[in-house]
């Protein structure tokens, strides 16, 4: 029997607990507030931002919707971030990526006050994560740790292969899994576009986390019997649908499910967790900055 890991249900559970933490904050006259900053005309980015806004409202977090014209000078974005850094009503700041080409992305990440950096991408927060003293864990890998918990999977001593080395998924995932801490203690192999024989690596793994952005890269023939498979990928492929495309993961679901003991679907696996953990970080940010202790899920 293969367990289908229900990210929607786990995320709903996290949100419910966060709503209680928000109540605690509000009882102390603190309104947790997330500012999302969008500097793009890309419809996909707009959709992501409005989903984040809606998620906030659902648990009682105030969402501030800041928009900057995609062709505005970069300084307009930096000044906006400076204002939000200084605004004591704002607990979390999220700049929706990608920013336009004329804006230096790394400079944007560095410009956000690390205390308000709810994505966890500021170099100070990356450093703290690597050092085993995370302030804000990046949302996608943190959400995956919660999915492991939900199926009572303790990564300790397990061989985990992470496919992908991006700053937002692969690297922080590997860093969390090697920490000498709960949810860590795994033996981690990080594979990427220059890895020589990916299948040979994944076949050795107890757990595979696929985050390559390549449709159906990992199939059943690349897995050991009973592996746990986490599919982070969200890829648009042409299809005969109303929209002209469909979303597929980095895992070939059917063949992988035949081998796996547990697997995340796309959609409904990692995606809802990423969204829920942004709320988690925002509540944590409000709690830290306003000095009101709350319980976190
Ligand atoms: P990215 O493009 O920044 O990084 C992809 C990584 O995969 C790179 O490190 C690259 O070396 C590696 N890679 C590429 N081709 C490979 C191959 N053939 N074999 C092995 N490694 C290979 O992507 P990302 O931002 O990390 O996102 C990865 C995927 O996850 C995308 O599909 C993205 O849409 C999705 N994503 C989903 C969520 C979510 O919440 N569900 C969040 C973030 C990203």
């Amino acid at each position: 029997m293969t367990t289908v890991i229900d990210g929607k249900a786990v995320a709903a559970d996290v949100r419910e607990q966060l709503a209680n933490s928000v109540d605690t904050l509000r009882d102390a006259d603190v309104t947790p507030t997330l500012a999302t900053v969008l500097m793009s005309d890309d419809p996909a980015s707009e959709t992501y931002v409005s989903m984040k806004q809606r998620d906030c409202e659902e648990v009682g977090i105030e969402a501030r919707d800041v928009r900057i014209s995609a062709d505005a000078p970069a300084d307009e974005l930096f000044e906006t971030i400076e204002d939000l850094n200084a605004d004591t009503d704002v607990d979390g700041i999220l700049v929706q990526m990608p920013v336009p080409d004329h804006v230096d992305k790394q400079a944007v990440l560095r410009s956000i006050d690390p205390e308000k950096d709810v994505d966890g991408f500021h170099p100070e927060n990356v450093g703290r994560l690597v050092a085993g003293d995370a302030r804000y864990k990046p949302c996608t890998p943190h959400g995956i740790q919660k999915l492991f918990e939900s199926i009572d999977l303790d990564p300790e001593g397990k061989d985990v292969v992470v496919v992908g080395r991006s700053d937002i998924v692969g690297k922080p995932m590997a860093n969390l899994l090697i920490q000498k801490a709960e949810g860590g203690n795994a033996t981690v192999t990080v594979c990427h576009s220059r890895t020589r024989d990916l299948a040979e690596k994944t076949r050795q793994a107890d757990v595979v986390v696929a985050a390559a952005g390549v449709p159906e890269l990992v199939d059943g023939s690349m897995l050991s019997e009973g592996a746990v498979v986490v599919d982070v990928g969200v890829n648009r492929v042409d299809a005969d649908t109303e929209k002209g495309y469909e979303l597929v993961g980095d895992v070939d679901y059917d063949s992988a499910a035949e081998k796996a003991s547990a697997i995340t679907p796309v959609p409904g696996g990692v995606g809802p967790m990423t969204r829920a953990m942004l709320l988690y970080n925002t509540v944590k940010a409000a709690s830290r900055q306003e000095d009101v202790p709350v319980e976190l899920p």
Side-chain angles (χ1 to χ4, degrees), residues 4-292:
V4 180
I5 304 172
D6 188 347
K8 270 195 206 164
V10 182
D13 198 34
V14 169
R15 281 198 306 271
E16 198 180 310
Q17 294 181 60
L18 287 174
N20 291 332
S21 319
V22 170
D23 285 344
T24 308
L25 288 167
R26 285 187 175 261
D27 288 346
D29 278 333
V30 171
T31 306
T33 302
L34 173 70
T36 59
V37 183
L38 176 65
M39 186 179 189
S40 166
D41 298 325
D42 173 29
S45 290
E46 289 204 14
T47 306
Y48 287 138
V49 164
S50 40
M51 286 188 327
K52 289 167 187 174
Q53 297 267 324
R54 244 186 300 134
D55 289 345
C56 283
E57 279 152 24
E58 201 186 307
V59 296
I61 293 172
E62 195 167 302
R64 230 192 259 179
D65 189 3
V66 182
R67 303 214 171 195
I68 297 171
S69 165
D71 51 15
D75 276 351
E76 201 172 317
L77 175 60
F78 290 111
E79 280 159 24
T80 302
I81 294 170
E82 233 172 81
D83 290 346
L84 293 170
N85 283 342
D87 187 335
T88 51
D89 287 340
V90 172
D91 302 296
I93 302 170
L94 178 144
V95 177
Q96 183 63 44
M97 294 294 164
V99 286
D101 289 345
H102 67 280
V103 181
D104 178 350
K105 179 188 160 190
Q106 293 303 331
V108 172
L109 299 182
R110 283 194 304 269
S111 71
I112 299 169
D113 178 347
E115 273 296 341
K116 299 191 180 191
D117 169 40
V118 286
D119 263 336
F121 297 156
H122 187 288
E124 183 181 314
N125 287 326
V126 176
R128 286 183 62 148
L129 175 80
V130 174
D133 180 28
R135 184 190 268 136
Y136 303 119
K137 294 183 185 178
C139 302
T140 301
H142 191 190
I144 293 169
Q145 282 191 313
K146 293 282 176 203
L147 289 178
F148 289 155
E149 268 175 42
S150 78
I151 56 165
D152 290 326
L153 172 75
D154 182 352
E156 178 170 334
K158 299 271 190 307
D159 288 319
V160 182
V161 167
V162 177
V163 187
R165 57 175 163 188
S166 72
D167 292 338
I168 65 167
V169 189
K171 274 189 216 161
M173 183 80 262
N175 273 315
L176 285 173
L177 287 167
I178 58 170
Q179 292 303 325
K180 197 171 180 178
E182 213 177 308
N185 293 312
T187 304
V188 180
T189 304
V190 181
C191 297
H192 47 74
S193 51
R194 309 287 173 91
T195 295
R196 227 180 304 137
D197 186 348
L198 180 64
E200 187 241 336
K201 304 287 187 296
T202 53
R203 264 185 225 120
Q204 308 292 322
D206 302 307
V207 180
V208 175
V209 178
V214 179
E216 299 177 338
L217 174 69
V218 176
D219 66 25
S221 74
M222 298 166 69
L223 298 169
S224 65
E225 200 67 51
V228 172
V229 181
V230 174
D231 189 352
V232 184
V234 181
N235 309 293
R236 267 189 193 196
V237 295
D238 294 340
D240 196 11
T241 62
E242 208 176 296
K243 291 179 177 163
Y245 66 85
E246 64 180 353
L247 296 179
V248 301
D250 286 355
V251 174
D252 174 39
Y253 186 87
D254 291 337
S255 66
E258 276 177 31
K259 282 276 190 72
S261 60
I263 185 167
T264 64
V266 176
V270 175
M273 293 307 297
T274 298
R275 290 168 62 179
M277 300 326 281
L278 174 65
L279 306 175
Y280 177 108
N281 280 349
T282 304
V283 170
K284 188 174 185 188
S287 164
R288 286 175 63 98
Q289 287 163 83
E290 309 287 348
D291 211 9
V292 178

